[in-house]
Amino acid sequence: MKKHLLLALAGMALIGVTLTGCGKQSKAASKETVKVGILQLMDQTALTEARKGFEAELAKAGYKGKRIKIDYVNAQGDQANLKTMSDRLARGKNDVNLAIATPAAQALQKADKKTPLLFTAITDPKSAELVTNPTKPDKNATGVTDLVAVSDQIDLLHKTFPQAKTIGLMYNAGEPNSVYQIKQAKAHLKKLGLRYQIKTAATTNDVQQAAESLAKDVDALYLPADNVMAAAMPTIGKVAKAKQIPVVPAASTMVKDGGTITKGIDYRDLGKQTAKMAIKLLKGTSVKKLAVEKPANVKTVKNDAMLKVVKQEVNLPK
């Protein structure tokens, strides 16, 4: 009798342990409050749109109100802020962290190599050393890139503005994403037999002078998905308008803010795509099982007002 009683108690204890273990598989399953940290590099339309899309998609999936606690910080483009804020999120014991833009992702991964880290609005996570193999993440990071084929954007520029023979390339040489895209742009321009000139600008304060200097000697401008260029697009747009030359930027939000035309993505959609990965992580999926994703949708975006001021032959895509 005593033996049977001991066996019964042992069985009940085992069931209790099993149920407890199941309850800890993910906070998503247990309806506990989840903690998400968000580090945004700076106030810039594309980055903000990505964050809003991320938060909206989480809310749509039920992560709102008491079900989620978001710790959002914005470094305002300052490296010291990136470190301080990354350290803060690392101490926060979050279930998932989101980094918006490459410098933010690099700083956050350096501060916290254990918490699942999602990145969005970055171009090349491999060269940024966030992952060794994008298809099989081997660190604590994965996410969604914003890379649209630079060759496609240059082809669009060439077909839309066939009279443009010298293309101006402007970027921040301190951004790895920009260096990567400019290298591709130069190679494809050379392939098409087009000339190019280059100017760099490290801050938004440097952009106007660089743009005015470049615009005097070129027929069109191509800009990578560069955070400094994106933040200064209204200024670049004014320079381009005064010189009556088209601007083909890599990001669709840059078209809206002063560019002319591009093949790009909707950054709010990019944020939503990233949130779907976050939900999988919150439900217990390992980072290593989530390959880095490319943008789901790419489309031609144009600024009709800017197209009207371009005094060149224009062949708009159908």
Side-chain angles (χ1 to χ4, degrees):
M1 186 74 175
K2 188 179 290 185
K3 182 179 180 181
H4 289 162
L5 179 60
L6 288 172
L7 287 171
L9 290 171
M12 291 176 66
L14 181 60
I15 292 171
V17 170
T18 302
L19 289 174
T20 301
C22 290
K24 289 184 178 179
Q25 285 181 359
S26 70
K27 288 188 176 182
S30 63
K31 302 294 184 181
E32 290 181 29
T33 299
V34 300
K35 296 174 66 178
V36 177
I38 300 178
L39 174 59
Q40 183 171 325
L41 174 62
M42 64 195 300
D43 282 325
Q44 189 252 84
T45 305
L47 307 187
T48 299
E49 284 294 296
R51 175 174 56 81
K52 289 180 177 179
F54 182 82
E55 293 175 347
E57 190 65 23
L58 285 179
K60 182 180 176 182
Y63 295 97
K64 55 186 176 181
K66 294 182 178 180
R67 279 216 63 199
I68 188 169
K69 181 179 179 181
I70 294 178
D71 187 0
Y72 163 62
V73 285
N74 188 322
Q76 301 298 344
D78 185 272
Q79 288 295 326
N81 287 344
L82 280 176
K83 185 182 185 309
T84 301
M85 293 174 176
S86 293
D87 290 341
R88 166 179 157 175
L89 294 181
R91 294 192 301 268
K93 296 181 179 180
N94 296 317
D95 298 295
V96 174
N97 285 322
L98 170 70
I100 308 176
T102 301
Q106 290 172 320
L108 192 47
Q109 189 178 56
K110 184 176 181 180
D112 185 350
K113 293 179 171 58
K114 294 183 178 180
T115 304
L117 170 63
L118 281 170
F119 49 74
T120 196
I122 78 168
T123 301
D124 185 14
K126 185 176 179 180
S127 67
E129 299 183 348
L130 297 168
V131 295
T132 304
N133 184 348
T135 60
K136 295 181 180 179
D138 54 341
K139 300 181 182 180
N140 67 322
T142 187
V144 185
T145 75
D146 63 358
L147 180 63
V148 177
V150 173
S151 58
D152 289 348
Q153 294 169 337
I154 297 294
D155 284 341
L156 177 67
L157 186 160
H158 187 43
K159 292 175 182 176
T160 307
F161 310 104
Q163 292 179 341
K165 303 301 181 183
T166 302
I167 312 303
L169 305 175
M170 190 164 65
Y171 68 108
N172 173 15
E175 288 196 27
N177 285 346
S178 302
V179 174
Y180 175 80
Q181 291 170 82
I182 290 296
K183 183 179 179 181
Q184 292 188 322
K186 290 192 294 184
H188 200 64
L189 287 168
K190 185 176 180 180
K191 182 179 178 181
L192 293 173
L194 298 175
R195 299 180 296 274
Y196 60 81
Q197 292 192 27
I198 296 175
K199 288 287 182 181
T200 60
T203 70
T204 53
N205 293 329
D206 304 324
V207 168
Q208 183 165 351
Q209 183 177 352
E212 289 177 345
S213 175
L214 192 58
K216 291 186 296 184
D217 302 318
V218 300
D219 305 312
L221 292 174
Y222 175 78
L223 309 174
D226 181 299
N227 290 300
V228 171
M229 298 304 119
M233 271 311 298
T235 297
I236 297 170
K238 288 179 181 178
V239 172
K241 188 174 182 179
K243 297 295 183 180
Q244 298 179 331
I245 61 173
V247 182
V248 176
S252 58
T253 50
M254 295 167 75
V255 173
K256 179 182 177 182
D257 292 341
T260 309
I261 192 169
T262 196
K263 280 192 174 181
I265 60 174
D266 184 313
Y267 276 81
R268 190 167 292 224
D269 286 345
L270 194 76
K272 291 179 180 180
Q273 187 176 343
T274 311
K276 290 176 181 177
M277 296 182 76
I279 293 166
K280 291 178 182 178
L281 290 173
L282 291 171
K283 289 183 177 181
T285 302
S286 167
V287 168
K288 295 182 178 181
K289 293 183 178 180
L290 295 177
V292 174
E293 297 181 8
K294 296 179 181 179
N297 300 304
V298 178
K299 58 184 178 181
T300 300
V301 181
K302 56 189 174 72
N303 184 328
D304 291 325
M306 291 299 290
L307 278 166
K308 289 178 181 178
V309 305
V310 178
K311 295 294 180 68
Q312 298 186 44
E313 180 184 344
V314 177
N315 294 326
L316 289 175
K318 296 180 179 179

